[in-house]
Amino acid sequence: MVNAIIDENKIQELLEQKASQSEIDEILNKALSLKGISLKEASVLLNIEGNDNLNKLYKTAKLLKEKIYGNRIVLFAPLYLSNYCTNNCLYCGFRFENKSIKRKKLTIDEAINETRRILETGHKRILLVAGEDTTQCNLNYIEELINKIYEQKLMNGEIRRININIAPLSVEEFKKLSSFGIGTYQSFQETYYPQIYKKMHPQGLKSNYEWRLETMSRAFEGGLQDVGMGVLFGLTDYRFEVLALLMHSQYLEKNYGIGPHTISIPRIEPAEGSDVASTPPNVITDENFKKIISVLRLAVPYTGIILSTRERAEFRRELLELGISQISAGSKTNPGGYSQEKATEQFSIGDTRSLDEVIYELTSDGYLPSFCTSCYRVGRVGKDFMDLAKPGLIQKFCHPNAIITFKEYLIDYAADNTKVKGNELINKFISNMQDSKQKELLLKDLQKIGEGTRDIYR
Ligand code: SAM
Ligand code: SF4
């Protein structure tokens, strides 16, 4: 099938091509220039095998991530609003045919209560998530909720950026959504392979492959500037999915001048009432998952890659090395979960640690935890963000913002052992800073944070 966005035949052709060792080495070298790699080159890397080449790929991904984002890792928490859904995605616990689950949509007050539980842990950015049922979660509800969430203040904290993963909207609806003050709008294609898409989405609005595929185009036409794409890995050949995702991303860049702000890489996890989720059609091994992340990092170096708590803690630690730049932590995937509500979760979680435990490990491994929400608040969005991220200039903002927001966290929320490790890391970072003006500025900001000022950003 050929449509304007995905050329299935071309992808299949690319996947059949073979490459020599010198071609593989050349592609890996080229990737280090930060210019990205072509679809053909991505396909070569997706086909590589053997430890030597895989290790070279992982090493290149790590170097690239450090060049663009440095060692900062952005943290967020999902807030599940409702598990009502009019679709029947066979892999999901929320699908309407799953009669065994307890359904719940949070009232505005309940959602605010959840927000406050999240705020207590130290998070500053959240991702609103909902099943697709507009009789339950319509845009008026979302608007009222977003306004109320931004009004919340708890101790020294507040939510400073709200991203959103709700059902695809029409252009008119996206226009409305873009006036609500959100950061990124996320929606995952799940699978780009039309036949499998049809099989996995037998009923509901989501059964329309084209409607889903054109979501990001409608979002841009409706005025949104930052979009998050994704694939649900495990439904079909991961190599096809990665190339299709990249083709989609190139289409958006060509037609709207903006590529994906983020890419999410969920792997299917067991979900109550879903046979597909228990036995996915194309199980993605850990080794292939590492390959997916690395190739994405090389192909779209400027894009944030998001890893959720679907993955288990030890494996998340390994994946961070390969180019992950944002992670969720301390997550609940059932509506009301942060306030101990028993509604059914969407899928089971692999990393159940608290935010502070995750931060302790990040810091021990030399990563700089970041609660930064600066870019969208100063208008560094869409193309402006891409223009800074592509040549690696975004670090100039990411690093100081990460340190300032991390310092806030250490003072206001951290356990004693995290405080010690975190302050050590900040001191080490500052002593390694080359630019004396930047260093002086940062030290002044840290002093202000120490004296009680909050929410400094640049
Ligand atoms: N209902 C909206 C939709 O489908 O786009 C948005 C929210 S949905 C709860 C968010 C994502 O969860 C889906 O896009 C899908 O990729 C993922 N998901 C669904 N079932 C899953 C499972 N069993 N394991 C892992 N991820 C799953
Ligand atoms: Fe509904 Fe989204 Fe789950 Fe599909 S993935 S059943 S649309 S909540």
Side-chain angles (χ1 to χ4, degrees):
M1 192 193 86
V2 180
N3 65 41
I5 303 177
I6 302 299
D7 182 343
E8 198 185 319
N9 296 333
K10 184 170 173 200
I11 296 177
Q12 299 291 13
E13 255 170 49
L14 286 173
L15 286 173
E16 275 156 30
Q17 290 176 18
K18 300 263 173 284
S20 66
Q21 184 61 45
S22 63
E23 282 170 304
I24 295 173
D25 290 338
E26 216 171 284
I27 296 169
L28 291 173
N29 266 334
K30 178 189 164 189
L32 285 174
S33 70
L34 300 186
K35 295 219 165 61
I37 52 175
S38 67
L39 283 180
K40 190 172 167 207
E41 291 163 338
S43 133
V44 167
L45 298 183
L46 285 165
N47 275 324
I48 63 173
E49 280 168 1
N51 283 344
D52 281 358
N53 275 334
L54 285 171
N55 286 334
K56 277 191 211 166
L57 172 67
Y58 301 156
K59 213 168 129 198
T60 313
K62 184 169 188 236
L63 278 172
L64 259 187
K65 193 226 148 184
E66 280 165 5
K67 267 192 176 186
I68 303 247
Y69 292 107
N71 63 346
R72 72 101 168 98
I73 300 285
V74 170
L75 291 143
F76 72 95
L79 169 46
Y80 275 71
L81 301 175
S82 163
N83 60 9
Y84 282 95
C85 194
T86 50
N87 291 320
N88 199 22
C89 315
L90 299 186
Y91 45 77
C92 180
F94 292 176
R95 67 202 172 87
F96 80 82
E97 236 179 31
N98 188 9
K99 304 290 181 220
S100 65
I101 74 165
K102 184 179 163 197
R103 301 279 170 180
K104 170 89 188 154
K105 173 208 160 185
L106 301 182
T107 62
I108 298 281
D109 284 350
E110 286 169 332
I112 293 302
N113 200 23
E114 288 282 279
T115 305
R116 294 179 76 81
R117 299 292 76 75
I118 293 173
L119 274 174
E120 274 168 1
T121 65
H123 275 294
K124 300 287 184 290
R125 61 162 79 197
I126 54 172
L127 171 69
L128 296 182
V129 188
E132 181 168 336
D133 184 344
T134 45
T135 61
Q136 296 290 341
C137 278
N138 59 31
L139 282 184
N140 292 337
Y141 166 85
I142 298 284
E143 182 177 22
E144 186 184 346
L145 183 59
I146 287 176
N147 289 335
K148 292 235 165 85
I149 289 176
Y150 280 136
E151 281 166 15
Q152 298 307 306
K153 179 112 190 122
L154 196 66
M155 293 142 64
N156 282 327
E158 62 276 306
I159 296 299
R160 302 173 185 163
R161 175 177 178 131
I162 300 176
N163 297 330
I164 191 158
N165 184 335
I166 55 168
L169 304 171
S170 66
V171 174
E172 282 312 306
E173 289 168 325
F174 273 125
K175 277 186 190 154
K176 200 166 172 208
L177 183 70
S178 66
S179 71
F180 294 173
I182 60 160
T184 311
Y185 169 76
Q186 279 188 0
S187 172
F188 310 151
Q189 182 62 27
E190 321 295 14
T191 171
Y192 281 92
Y193 200 72
Q195 289 86 330
I196 303 289
Y197 188 94
K198 237 184 157 65
K199 205 168 144 195
M200 289 294 150
H201 306 100
Q203 283 111 3
L205 195 57
K206 195 165 165 183
S207 61
N208 185 335
Y209 175 90
E210 276 78 19
W211 171 255
R212 186 89 179 174
L213 189 61
E214 287 155 8
T215 302
M216 296 313 172
S217 306
R218 293 195 303 277
F220 285 138
E221 281 156 30
L224 283 161
Q225 304 235 44
D226 288 336
V227 298
M229 299 164 65
V231 158
L232 180 61
F233 285 100
L235 295 176
T236 184
D237 182 350
Y238 70 90
R239 300 169 314 145
F240 181 93
E241 303 290 22
V242 171
L243 287 190
L245 181 78
L246 294 175
M247 205 174 240
H248 192 178
S249 151
Q250 288 181 352
Y251 172 88
L252 296 177
E253 278 224 46
K254 189 166 157 221
N255 289 278
Y256 301 94
I258 312 174
H261 188 74
T262 55
I263 290 179
S264 298
I265 43 166
R267 260 199 303 191
I268 297 183
E269 290 296 326
E272 192 180 320
S274 163
D275 293 341
V276 169
S278 313
T279 47
N282 278 65
V283 175
I284 308 292
T285 62
D286 285 356
E287 208 53 67
N288 285 337
F289 199 54
K290 284 162 70 175
K291 204 201 269 187
I292 291 169
I293 295 173
S294 306
V295 173
L296 285 173
R297 177 46 70 218
L298 267 56
V300 274
Y302 58 85
T303 295
I305 302 185
I306 303 182
L307 186 68
S308 75
T309 52
R310 288 172 180 87
E311 301 299 334
R312 56 200 196 279
E314 333 71 83
F315 193 43
R316 293 223 300 169
R317 194 174 189 182
E318 206 179 315
L319 297 176
L320 283 176
E321 294 238 310
L322 305 176
I324 298 296
S325 51
Q326 298 190 19
I327 59 170
S328 50
S331 306
K332 303 281 184 228
T333 65
N334 53 332
Y338 297 99
S339 321
Q340 309 297 327
E341 179 70 39
K342 290 279 178 283
T344 306
E345 51 184 19
Q346 192 200 11
F347 49 81
S348 48
I349 286 177
D351 182 352
T352 54
R353 294 173 300 169
S354 69
L355 174 62
D356 198 67
E357 287 171 300
V358 172
I359 288 197
Y360 180 81
E361 184 181 274
L362 285 175
T363 316
S364 309
D365 290 346
Y367 294 107
L368 196 53
S370 175
F371 294 92
C372 174
T373 54
S374 166
C375 278
Y376 105 102
R377 296 166 82 201
V378 299
R380 236 175 2 244
V381 294
K383 192 165 179 327
D384 291 345
F385 175 85
M386 303 271 145
D387 288 346
L388 282 169
K390 281 182 181 168
L393 296 175
I394 198 71
Q395 267 196 52
K396 196 168 88 189
F397 301 100
C398 290
H399 270 147
N401 286 330
I403 290 183
I404 292 166
T405 53
F406 185 37
K407 185 72 184 176
E408 286 186 350
Y409 175 85
L410 292 176
I411 296 175
D412 292 338
Y413 309 95
D416 288 345
N417 55 350
T418 312
K419 270 194 179 93
V420 174
K421 280 259 179 249
N423 283 320
E424 273 170 22
L425 186 74
I426 290 181
N427 291 339
K428 189 171 153 205
F429 185 88
I430 292 174
S431 63
N432 286 339
M433 273 177 91
Q434 307 286 335
D435 186 330
S436 55
K437 251 193 165 161
Q438 287 286 333
K439 190 169 173 169
E440 200 184 318
L441 205 64
L442 181 58
L443 284 170
K444 272 193 189 147
D445 285 342
L446 288 177
Q447 190 181 344
K448 284 190 206 154
I449 297 287
E451 290 162 0
T453 307
R454 292 289 175 270
D455 201 14
I456 300 172
Y457 55 93
R458 44 189 75 154

